[in-house]
Amino acid sequence: MDLKDLYRDVILDHNRQPRNFGRLQPADAQAEGHNPLCGDRLTVFLRLDGERVADIRFEGKGCAISTASASLMTEAVRGRDRAAIRRLFDDVHGLLTGSGEHAAELALGKLAALGGVREFPARVKCASLCWHTLNAALAGGAAASTE
Amino acid sequence: MNTAATDNLAGPRAAAARYDAARVRADFPILATRVHGRPLTYLDSAASAQRPLAVLRAVEQYETRTHANVHRGVHALSQAATAAYEGARERARRFINARSVREVIYVRGTTEAINLVAQSWARPRLGIGDEILISALEHHANIVPWQMVCEQTGCTLKVAPIDRRGEVIQEEFLKLLSRRTRLVALAHVSNALGTVLPIQQMIAAAHAHGACVLIDGAQAVPHLRVDVQALGADFYAFSGHKLYGPTGIGVLYGREELLDAMPPWQGGGDMILSVSFEKTTYNELPFKFEAGTPNISGSVGLAAAMDYLEGLGIEAVAAHEQALLQRATAELERLPDLTLVGTAPHKAAVLSFTMKDVHPHDLGTILDAEGVAIRTGHHCAMPVMTFFGLPATARASFACYNTFEDIERLLAALRRARAVFA
């Protein structure tokens, strides 16, 4: 178990300066995510162009892992369509839980920086909160929870 | 006014100096564990304390030589198990100085004890216009059961506010007491902040208004001597596992006349005298509230834990913990970017804190990598977090086996966290 593997430079950077942080107004869809265990809350805002996520922002308060993961997610999904986002979600899930294929990991690009999380099972929910929230927003729901 | 229950926290320095924490540590096998290749620094006893060998052996002895069901058989083991179970009840009675074993009800823990009082005492008695008064620093276990009663009966929940130090504002508490107040439910010691509440005077004030009082003693019993008669509490609840005993066992103390007037909470075996399809006669106290086969080995472990703690001397343990608290408080105050949450002058050995720009969850992970176990999160006291405007805090809590070296390890790990997030 190596802390440096969890808190990689990319993670620390995205925690310090989260990308696409703030509200989208008006937004075509939004959802709130909550991790009751640690009190993390974030809201994901989407602007949609048909099947495509034209723009995405998030705001909220959370630990370094959840903030960096959300920041990286916004960069990764902007401009992609629902089907691609679903595949990405599966790959991220595989990465976080250690069940994914190595090839999938390579396709993740910068998101692969979250790979250290799998050694810290207590933190998987921190990294996945934003993705569940994004899914809820895409599904037209209002809330997601890690519980 | 009797102050026995509250004054021993500020125990004499001399007692702390004589206290041999290294020898105490040797009684706790788990403390020799290494975590991530480092010695374990266990600072999470407020969540659950570790068990000394004396407790583990008592449970093993019971399981290997004595176990059978209680109150049922005529055979030797059943009688021995009953004697162990009831002997442990008498031990618990002495521990809190209840008048009678009829006032000592075994429960799973503090949460179950409070729910029992909520459903069996409050629910049948309260209605629209009645009020239950709690404080703003309560654990969820002393909030939610009352909210459920409010929903069931139409009574109202009132909350006495706290100040920035984490103390219940006594004038506000007194103002909220009225003829409508039927029940006052308070923590003896706050789990999230460590604040020791002046419950003796609060109980007296509540009684002056005719209210019944329940005290959540989960965080108090490991740190200060509790005398339920001197305190005057109507109900007092605590858990075994915060007291160096097993999980799944705890005690609800209740004044006999109150318990007598309450209906059973759960129905089943052991809580009855006779059953027919026309009529069931309930058993007498305390069995009326103990339906089903109980946690017998847990009761044995609980009694052993009480023996152990009183063997060390609660006052000596409290003095040692206060010395640790003072040192840790002074050291943490010196760290830049660190803020203590809960700074009441009268505290149990609990330190809640935040570090600037480092989320408590990250702090917890980094400390864990250093072998330092702390609690991070809302500590099942979300309203406390909301009051301080925080999503969560980190919490280090000290027990009889902690040492000044543990504080050094905590400080080193905190500096490491600062460095990771520099």
Side-chain angles (χ1 to χ4, degrees):
Chain A
M1 194 178 107
D2 187 357
L3 275 182
K4 285 206 181 72
D5 203 32
L6 180 66
Y7 295 110
R8 296 180 196 178
D9 290 343
V10 176
I11 303 289
L12 293 173
D13 174 43
H14 276 257
N15 175 52
R16 212 174 295 124
Q17 295 168 13
R19 320 295 199 264
N20 304 308
F21 192 82
R23 305 173 73 87
L24 261 185
Q25 272 174 333
D28 296 319
Q30 70 182 67
E32 198 188 325
H34 182 211
N35 182 345
L37 193 71
C38 50
D40 287 358
R41 274 177 195 284
L42 60 87
T43 309
V44 169
F45 303 88
L46 300 178
R47 196 165 291 150
L48 300 169
D49 175 12
E51 285 291 285
R52 213 170 55 89
V53 170
D55 201 1
I56 175 167
R57 296 229 181 120
F58 82 102
E59 68 170 16
K61 256 191 165 160
C63 64
I65 303 302
S66 89
T67 303
S69 180
S71 171
L72 288 163
M73 179 187 79
T74 59
E75 287 193 326
V77 304
R78 176 183 279 140
R80 297 208 194 201
D81 64 23
R82 285 168 186 267
I85 290 172
R86 207 171 303 123
R87 282 196 300 277
L88 203 53
F89 176 83
D90 289 342
D91 289 348
V92 168
H93 190 261
L95 176 79
L96 296 177
T97 57
S99 62
E101 307 273 322
H102 188 59
E105 199 169 317
L106 289 176
L108 282 169
K110 249 204 250 178
L111 284 170
L114 289 163
V117 172
R118 64 173 160 247
E119 300 299 325
F120 298 80
R123 306 303 299 276
V124 171
K125 284 179 177 176
C126 308
S128 59
L129 175 64
C130 59
W131 288 91
H132 290 296
T133 311
L134 170 63
N135 274 354
L138 284 171
S145 167
T146 57
E147 294 304 304
Chain B
M1 197 160 161
N2 188 313
T3 53
T6 49
D7 267 3
N8 53 34
L9 268 184
R13 233 163 249 271
R18 275 198 309 276
Y19 187 86
D20 189 351
R23 258 181 76 182
V24 173
R25 285 183 76 78
D27 293 335
F28 291 80
I30 202 168
L31 296 179
T33 308
R34 294 181 77 83
V35 172
H36 310 308
R38 291 166 195 271
L40 168 65
T41 304
Y42 191 74
L43 299 177
D44 196 20
S45 300
S48 196
Q50 300 297 349
R51 292 97 165 119
L53 263 178
V55 168
L56 303 174
R57 288 207 175 117
V59 171
E60 187 190 19
Q61 182 103 346
Y62 169 80
E63 297 286 12
T64 51
R65 298 192 191 171
T66 313
H67 174 68
N69 212 332
V70 290
H71 304 143
R72 282 165 179 75
V74 293
H75 61 78
L77 284 185
S78 175
Q79 289 179 41
T82 302
Y85 182 68
E86 292 306 325
R89 194 193 307 272
E90 164 59 21
R91 182 68 189 86
R93 183 204 66 75
R94 271 192 289 132
F95 188 74
I96 55 171
N97 193 32
R99 278 168 216 87
S100 150
V101 287
R102 288 188 299 278
E103 301 183 318
V104 178
I105 314 292
Y106 285 128
V107 287
R108 278 192 295 140
T110 309
T111 298
E112 186 172 70
I114 296 173
N115 277 280
L116 192 163
V117 175
Q119 291 303 310
S120 180
W121 186 88
R123 188 177 182 181
R125 280 170 184 74
L126 306 194
I128 293 165
D130 290 330
E131 292 174 1
I132 297 171
L133 176 58
I134 63 173
S135 88
L137 52 64
E138 300 305 320
H139 187 284
H140 295 166
N142 204 21
I143 301 174
V144 182
W146 309 121
Q147 290 175 327
M148 291 164 69
V149 168
C150 288
E151 231 164 75
Q152 289 157 343
T153 67
C155 70
T156 307
L157 188 66
K158 296 279 179 178
V159 184
I162 55 175
D163 61 22
R164 297 299 297 178
R165 295 199 298 190
E167 291 189 289
V168 177
I169 303 168
Q170 291 299 312
E171 301 113 68
E172 299 296 324
F173 171 75
L174 293 176
K175 266 192 244 164
L176 285 165
L177 283 171
S178 74
R179 263 184 331 117
R180 291 184 300 278
T181 315
R182 300 290 306 280
L183 179 81
V184 174
L186 298 166
H188 195 166
V189 172
S190 154
N191 73 307
L193 305 171
T195 315
V196 180
L197 278 70
I199 57 162
Q200 194 153 11
Q201 68 186 56
M202 295 171 89
I203 291 169
H207 283 168
H209 287 84
C212 186
V213 183
L214 174 138
I215 301 296
D216 165 0
Q219 296 292 337
V221 285
H223 307 295
L224 42 105
R225 187 172 294 285
V226 170
D227 179 333
V228 289
Q229 294 189 62
L231 288 172
D234 298 297
F235 297 103
Y236 195 100
F238 63 95
S239 304
H241 72 104
K242 304 217 196 268
L243 191 63
Y244 311 107
T247 54
I249 186 82
V251 165
L252 170 67
Y253 158 82
R255 283 202 297 117
E256 187 169 347
E257 56 183 286
L258 295 174
L259 293 172
D260 248 339
M262 287 157 59
W265 186 39
Q266 295 173 327
D270 226 27
M271 53 74 70
I272 48 83
L273 283 180
S274 72
V275 175
S276 72
F277 290 116
E278 289 71 40
K279 181 168 173 58
T280 289
T281 310
Y282 302 134
N283 205 338
E284 58 188 32
L285 287 173
F287 315 112
K288 182 171 83 174
F289 292 106
E290 295 176 8
T293 296
N295 184 354
I296 312 167
S297 70
S299 76
V300 171
L302 177 64
M306 290 169 172
D307 284 343
Y308 179 80
L309 183 56
E310 291 194 345
L312 295 180
I314 298 182
E315 290 78 6
V317 168
H320 172 66
E321 290 170 346
Q322 285 297 304
L324 292 172
L325 178 68
Q326 282 172 23
R327 168 83 66 86
T329 303
E331 295 284 353
L332 261 60
E333 277 174 342
R334 260 204 286 281
L335 290 183
D337 302 341
L338 203 126
T339 307
L340 291 176
V341 182
T343 49
H346 199 193
K347 275 177 65 173
V350 168
L351 276 172
S352 244
F353 56 92
T354 58
M355 189 183 269
K356 190 166 175 280
D357 297 331
V358 186
H359 190 280
H361 215 160
D362 295 309
L363 213 45
T365 294
I366 297 170
L367 265 58
D368 178 58
E370 301 287 315
V372 179
I374 58 160
R375 171 84 187 263
T376 62
H378 52 58
H379 316 293
C380 295
M382 286 167 109
V384 175
M385 300 295 114
T386 305
F387 173 78
F388 285 101
L390 300 166
T393 70
R395 181 189 71 184
S397 51
F398 300 101
C400 68
Y401 38 66
N402 289 116
T403 62
F404 291 95
E405 202 185 339
D406 289 335
I407 297 175
E408 293 307 317
R409 291 215 179 96
L410 170 66
L411 291 168
L414 288 171
R415 283 191 283 267
R416 172 95 201 269
R418 186 70 280 169
V420 170
F421 281 86

